[in-house]
Amino acid sequence: MPIVSVTAPERESRYDIHIGHGLLSRCAPLFHACRGRRAVIVTDTAVAPLYAHTLSGQLEAAGAQVSTAVLPAGETTKSPEHLSRLYDMFLDAGLTRSDSVFALGGGVIGDLAGYAACTYLRGVHFVQVPTTLLAQVDSSVGGKVAVNHVRGKNLLGAFYQPELVLIDCDTLATLDDRQFGAGLGEVIKYGCIADRALFEQLESLGSRASLLPALDGIIARCCEIKARYVREDPHDHGIRMQLNFGHTLAHALENALGYGTLLHGEAVCIGMGAAAGWGEALGVTPLGTRERIKRLLDAYGLPTQVPQGLSPEALASTMALDKKASGHAVNVVLLTEIGACTSLPIESGRLARML
């Protein structure tokens, strides 16, 4: 069972990411992080029927009194309204500062439950149990937690590291093709920004069917890359911003289309192609890089084109609200080659002209 350790400087501690098969049914010994008498499992209507009973049983075997908070599935759940509802559920469960919150689900549940755990009673213990590929390779690792605002994605957020991440690869068997593909988008992102060998491995595998036997190792590699960024830049002030390759346009697309129309990973795929094109236009990215990324995305059946009918000016205006914006410019991550990148401030009007 691969174990990836993450250094969490702000908590002066390390936590482990456990990766394997069948972990949900034999994870009770790992729950030393489940302090106190009570645990609340936060999940959604899609995941609860599949895995909530198993996780609850393991927590009870570890000595916890368990409650389960089931929220609607989908990106629209990551909202201040559902956050308030979750606080009520914590209060009803009698959750205290010595107790724990378990996020069982994809990135929406992880972000929402993490933000609730961070802010409820100024912080309770938090464990991530991601069940989607995107959450396993990206959002469950590194301590970014947030809810969306009507004017932008993740505008209300914090840094709050989990005490444990439990990745059961068997949960991927219940993902539909779109959810699995959304996770592949983030996997490809890691190859683009930090690991040429991973990118070339994905090129050589060439299809989802060929990818599956290698998936455990690919998940572990992505977690290692994410852990390195977190260690070097825990609060996203410098090099960790590279993880946002493709996200500047992606967040604007999600907002413009309405949260949930595009899955986050699908939007990132479109954003990566656009960012590679921006880099080529600015002389930062070698010519042909955008086409190479597009071929890889096409091979895995992932989207590459901005949906029709969206105004470039409106998208640029939304990008200007990005958390990494400064003044009239947006700090955009651009590739210097496959496996390496930099960031460059670009005026939002210029971004609109390049869309």
Side-chain angles (χ1 to χ4, degrees), residues 87-236:
Y87 291 143
D88 287 335
M89 293 176 176
F90 290 175
L91 290 166
D92 291 342
L95 203 69
T96 70
R97 290 191 70 182
S98 62
D99 297 323
S100 300
V101 169
F102 286 74
L104 174 66
V108 168
I109 288 297
D111 281 4
L112 175 64
Y115 189 74
C118 170
T119 51
Y120 177 77
L121 302 179
R122 297 197 177 99
V124 297
H125 304 295
F126 178 49
V127 176
Q128 286 268 22
V129 189
T131 60
T132 67
L133 181 57
L134 189 149
Q136 290 178 357
V137 300
D138 190 69
S139 61
S140 68
V141 181
K144 281 188 176 181
V145 296
V147 295
N148 298 330
H149 187 274
V150 67
R151 294 179 64 182
K153 186 177 174 72
N154 295 334
L155 291 184
L156 311 175
F159 291 92
Y160 197 64
Q161 301 290 346
E163 300 189 11
L164 172 72
V165 180
L166 176 67
I167 296 176
D168 188 336
C169 299
D170 288 346
T171 62
L172 301 180
T174 56
L175 291 184
D176 62 31
D177 287 344
R178 282 190 69 194
Q179 287 285 354
F180 188 81
L184 282 181
E186 290 285 356
V187 171
I188 291 169
K189 177 199 74 177
Y190 283 115
C192 286
I193 65 170
D195 193 333
R196 185 183 186 92
L198 173 60
F199 190 93
E200 291 173 345
Q201 180 187 13
L202 295 170
E203 286 182 314
S204 66
L205 290 169
S207 71
R208 298 190 189 190
S210 299
L211 174 78
L212 291 177
L215 192 56
D216 293 14
I218 288 172
I219 291 171
R221 179 59 187 141
C222 292
C223 289
E224 289 170 352
I225 295 170
K226 183 72 175 282
R228 174 172 60 82
Y229 277 107
V230 173
R231 180 179 66 251
E232 295 180 10
D233 182 17
H235 294 126
D236 204 13

Side-chain angles (χ1 to χ4, degrees), residues 17-80:
I17 307 166
H18 293 259
I19 306 165
H21 291 267
L23 295 185
L24 273 177
S25 61
R26 51 184 174 86
C27 57
L30 298 177
F31 291 150
H32 59 276
C34 179
R35 300 183 176 91
R37 295 186 301 109
R38 296 181 178 87
V40 174
I41 299 171
V42 181
T43 188
D44 65 31
T45 52
V47 175
L50 300 171
Y51 307 117
H53 179 73
T54 302
L55 179 58
S56 179
Q58 290 295 299
L59 285 167
E60 289 171 352
Q65 178 181 325
V66 184
S67 301
T68 302
V70 182
L71 299 171
E75 183 73 28
T76 55
T77 293
K78 208 170 83 171
S79 67

